Amino acid sequence: MAASFHPEMARQPPAERPPTPPNGGKYKIAVCQVAVTSDKGSNIAHARSVIEAAADKGAQLIVLPEMWNCPYSNNSFPIYAEDIDAGFEASPSSAMLSEVACQKKVTIVGGSIPERSNGHLYNTCCVFDKDGHLKAKHRKVHLFDIDIPGKITFKESDTLTPGDSLTIVDTDVGRIGVGICYDIRFPELAMLYAARGVHIICYPGAFNMTTGPLHWELLQKARAVDNQIYVATCSPARDTSAGYIAWGHSTVVGPFGEIVATTEHEETTIIADIDYTEIDKRRLNMPIESQRRGDLYSLLDVTRHASK
Ligand SMILES: O=C(O)CCC(=O)C(=O)O
């Protein structure tokens, strides 16, 4: 779903209310902090077994990390890229996710993989419903181009093209908004998702050893508490021999900014209960949405200043 941000969207109820989620809005989410190697075939097989195990433990919504089928590097992206639109034969990673979603009857926010499309590469997250249908594809909108001298320099735009649309998808486990890693730094995206009735934003991500300790949890809590929604992040497990060392610490945050579940940096799957009635409760307790002073400020002003 392509959408542009306008402050009115943040102040008004969403044009279309999310369908009432089944099962009273109560689900089990699994965040799979998998170890990633340079062997794509084994990454796919491993992710499959981790998803199966999570489903067997009752998870209904399963989230994978950013770039779970390949090392996180500009050299790897073109080599590991798959043409998702060309069908599952051309995309073994998507084929596996579709199959296992259908086999286990779970919704999968499939982390991200490098996608090749029309001569471009994207950092792309596929969402599958419990019948294995590809419901949405989110191409990372904000590319990770940073330079902190002596600490970390990365320029995704050397190989990747940014996506140009936002992703909101209605599933059996509620209305999900998708962002990938650096996308979490842009509050407007989360605010727009919340204004459109999203229950949970899933951010597959791979923060690093410089920004991870300071910003990872802070940003998740900020997105959750500002918007009174659930936020789930999923990182690869840390591999200290990798060129890019992921911070780990995959987490689920609730609509009051509370940590519902989290972990350290090793490979693990966290399984947590989420309950969307908490969203209504928090909004009733603290009705910030209706208390916003749109007469004094708007995000449109912010973006206008930024582009000067
Ligand atoms: O924002 C950060 O500090 C890390 C972002 C990142 O690693 C990514 O977008 O892949």
Side-chain angles (χ1 to χ4, degrees):
M1 177 192 294
S4 60
F5 187 84
H6 188 280
E8 286 306 315
M9 291 174 174
R11 291 195 292 272
Q12 291 171 359
E16 184 203 337
R17 301 296 310 174
T20 307
N23 200 27
K26 295 177 174 46
Y27 309 103
K28 273 199 194 311
I29 181 173
V31 172
C32 304
Q33 186 166 288
V34 293
V36 177
T37 70
S38 56
D39 181 338
K40 180 152 100 168
S42 73
N43 291 333
I44 294 174
H46 182 54
R48 181 181 195 127
S49 68
V50 168
I51 292 169
E52 286 170 349
D56 290 345
K57 288 187 183 138
Q60 297 144 290
L61 168 59
I62 298 182
V63 188
L64 288 185
E66 182 181 29
M67 294 295 180
W68 60 269
N69 76 354
C70 82
Y72 186 81
S73 82
N74 275 316
N75 289 338
S76 300
F77 300 151
I79 298 167
Y80 290 71
E82 299 178 10
D83 187 343
I84 298 165
D85 293 337
F88 289 152
E89 298 76 31
S91 181
S93 303
S94 308
M96 180 279 284
L97 295 176
S98 167
E99 269 173 42
V100 73
C102 182
Q103 175 203 332
K104 293 290 180 182
K105 296 290 164 216
V106 289
T107 299
I108 299 179
V109 175
S112 78
I113 63 168
E115 178 195 11
R116 185 182 302 283
S117 178
N118 294 322
H120 295 284
L121 293 174
Y122 301 92
N123 184 339
T124 301
C125 174
C126 294
V127 181
F128 294 89
D129 71 12
K130 66 180 177 43
D131 296 318
H133 297 129
L134 178 57
K135 291 279 285 185
K137 222 172 56 165
H138 179 79
R139 291 172 170 166
K140 188 176 191 174
V141 175
H142 305 94
L143 294 184
F144 179 47
D145 283 1
I146 67 163
D147 182 18
I148 306 176
K151 294 288 185 186
I152 177 161
T153 301
F154 204 97
K155 200 158 175 238
E156 278 190 324
S157 63
D158 279 348
T159 55
L160 303 179
T161 300
D164 58 8
S165 58
L166 308 186
T167 305
I168 297 173
V169 51
D170 285 323
T171 71
D172 278 355
V173 288
R175 184 169 283 186
I176 299 174
V178 183
I180 299 177
C181 206
Y182 203 56
D183 284 339
I184 200 173
R185 290 190 179 271
F186 299 86
E188 297 91 337
L189 175 66
M191 202 169 171
L192 177 59
Y193 281 169
R196 293 274 176 87
V198 157
H199 298 109
I200 182 167
I201 307 181
C202 294
Y203 292 102
F207 268 41
N208 53 77
M209 302 300 286
T210 300
T211 60
L214 279 170
H215 298 161
W216 174 247
E217 187 177 304
L218 178 72
L219 287 165
Q220 299 169 53
K221 286 184 162 182
R223 299 296 83 88
V225 83
D226 279 354
N227 297 294
Q228 300 174 308
I229 51 169
Y230 278 92
V231 167
T233 57
C234 186
S235 167
R238 189 177 305 163
D239 173 1
T240 50
S241 67
Y244 181 94
I245 303 177
W247 172 238
H249 291 79
S250 303
T251 299
V252 180
V253 182
F256 202 47
E258 73 279 23
I259 301 265
V260 176
T262 190
T263 187
E264 298 283 330
H265 58 267
E266 272 143 19
E267 171 159 280
T268 190
T269 295
I270 53 177
I271 298 189
D273 291 309
I274 51 176
D275 176 356
Y276 298 150
T277 63
E278 284 294 307
I279 297 174
D280 300 330
K281 188 173 103 189
R282 295 307 177 187
R283 290 179 180 175
L284 197 65
N285 295 163
M286 196 184 283
I288 54 174
E289 188 57 31
S290 59
Q291 292 165 339
R292 242 180 253 291
R293 290 293 305 271
D295 55 324
L296 297 181
Y297 49 76
S298 74
L299 283 182
L300 197 57
D301 293 339
V302 174
T303 45
R304 274 195 191 128
H305 287 304
S307 59
K308 273 184 190 160

